Amino acid sequence: MDDIKRVLILGGSWFLGRAIAEAAVGTGTEVTVFRRGLSGSDAGGVNAIYGDRANPDDVARLAKAGSWDAVIDTSSYTPRNTLQLARGLEPVAEKYVLISTVAVYSDWPLQPLTESSPVLQCPADAGPDFEFAGETRHSRYAVNKAGCERAVMDTFGPDRAAVLRPGVILGPGEYVGRLEWWLRRMRRGGRVLGPGSPRRPIQPVDVRDVAAFALYAATRSGLWNVTASGCDTMGELLQGCNAVAAGGAAQIDWITDEHWLKAQHIVEFKELPLWRICAGTWAVDSARARGAGLNCRPLIETVTDTWEWLAHGGLAIAHQRSKEIGISPDREQAVLHAWDEHRNAGGRA
């Protein structure tokens, strides 16, 4: 990495944070991770400092361990804490890279997005009890991330800060379990509910590709959406899962009438992971990042490597979001049976 000799990663023990740490160590960079030490494990070759980013004394102790060419923040959720941390690190860090999310856009997932699309409004010093005055469809997570962005920009300024807004991140170590659910569902075999059109474009990005781009961003400043190009499809994802986990033995039955499927009260993005009918879900423009060097590996590589990780005993960090993922076998088959009856009665297929 050009001009990066010492990097501080906030987080660093699981999924994206760990992928960044491993990638940085692999380049010969001196890597420090700052984390609570409550979950995950340290990547080989890193210097670990344990503490809580919400604790001013821990932040002061961390700052004394500097300086760094760049800070990469993978664990920012509360603006007030991010502001305190950014202010503490500003004298000892040249750059600050914040991992944010496409959910900060006020029109996500309803409309296609670029980096110039409007963003949710949240003050840089907002606490966990901040009451958002906008539409209720926006999650507290998304609103707070917008505030975290402001905290970093206010402290480091546009010339010393970089913000990455990824969409869905997949790959080995994924803690939400979206790809894992589809892989295990194909492994179980039988008749599988394929949601919507198999030709629907999707934009999940591999965790290792986000990690590589985060290290690039540590040498620059700016704002980037970080998603795949949208050339992959839902059909390619499910067929890939079927191929690597079940040798193609599962039978995918595509329910292409999405309005009918939604009428069955399927919880989008959760019961059938990655399925969502909003127009902007998979319409995030990342041309700026690709022009700057974002390289996204083929989706089948992400699928294959994730299955290999699972097959060899890989376990993600337990996270409550994973409990929301996946439709039960009985409910899936009931929906498929209702679909059969709908088609036999002359409904749209």
Side-chain angles (χ1 to χ4, degrees), residues 49-249:
I49 299 175
Y50 299 106
D52 190 331
R53 60 186 295 150
N55 185 320
D57 293 336
D58 289 349
V59 172
R61 179 168 51 85
L62 173 64
K64 290 179 180 178
S67 60
W68 294 279
D69 297 310
V71 176
I72 303 178
D73 188 350
T74 70
S75 57
S76 177
Y77 301 105
T78 303
R80 183 182 300 163
N81 294 343
T82 301
L83 182 63
Q84 169 186 275
L85 187 58
R87 286 174 173 172
L89 294 176
E90 190 275 333
V92 294
E94 180 60 28
K95 296 286 183 66
Y96 197 114
V97 180
L98 177 70
I99 308 298
S100 187
T101 169
V102 297
V104 299
Y105 291 113
S106 56
D107 288 335
W108 192 85
L110 303 181
Q111 301 293 333
L113 301 168
T114 70
E115 285 89 352
S116 62
S117 298
V119 173
L120 298 170
Q121 296 301 306
C122 178
D125 61 351
D129 56 348
F130 173 70
E131 293 295 332
F132 179 60
E135 296 179 57
T136 57
R137 64 182 175 84
H138 297 296
S139 67
R140 182 175 294 274
Y141 164 79
V143 174
N144 284 346
K145 277 289 193 179
C148 292
E149 289 188 8
R150 176 169 290 185
V152 171
M153 284 295 181
D154 286 355
T155 304
F156 275 77
D159 294 333
R160 295 173 58 204
V163 174
L164 275 57
R165 293 174 178 161
V168 171
I169 304 175
L170 302 178
E174 182 211 346
Y175 61 92
V176 179
R178 297 180 177 106
L179 182 52
E180 177 181 353
W181 187 86
W182 280 117
L183 285 162
R184 295 194 186 282
R185 175 62 192 92
M186 295 300 175
R187 182 67 173 181
R188 196 168 75 240
R191 190 180 177 200
V192 179
L193 195 168
S197 169
R199 294 185 296 277
R200 177 187 289 278
I202 58 175
Q203 295 180 289
V205 61
D206 191 286
V207 62
R208 295 161 292 185
D209 299 331
V210 180
F213 191 72
L215 293 175
Y216 166 85
T219 68
R220 304 291 190 275
S221 59
L223 170 64
W224 295 277
N225 294 331
V226 184
T227 63
S229 65
C231 294
D232 298 310
T233 66
M234 195 70 178
E236 290 169 336
L237 173 69
L238 267 60
Q239 289 158 10
C241 290
N242 192 10
V244 302

Side-chain angles (χ1 to χ4, degrees), residues 275-287:
W275 172 69
R276 198 169 196 173
I277 65 175
C278 294
T281 303
W282 302 115
V284 179
D285 185 355
S286 291

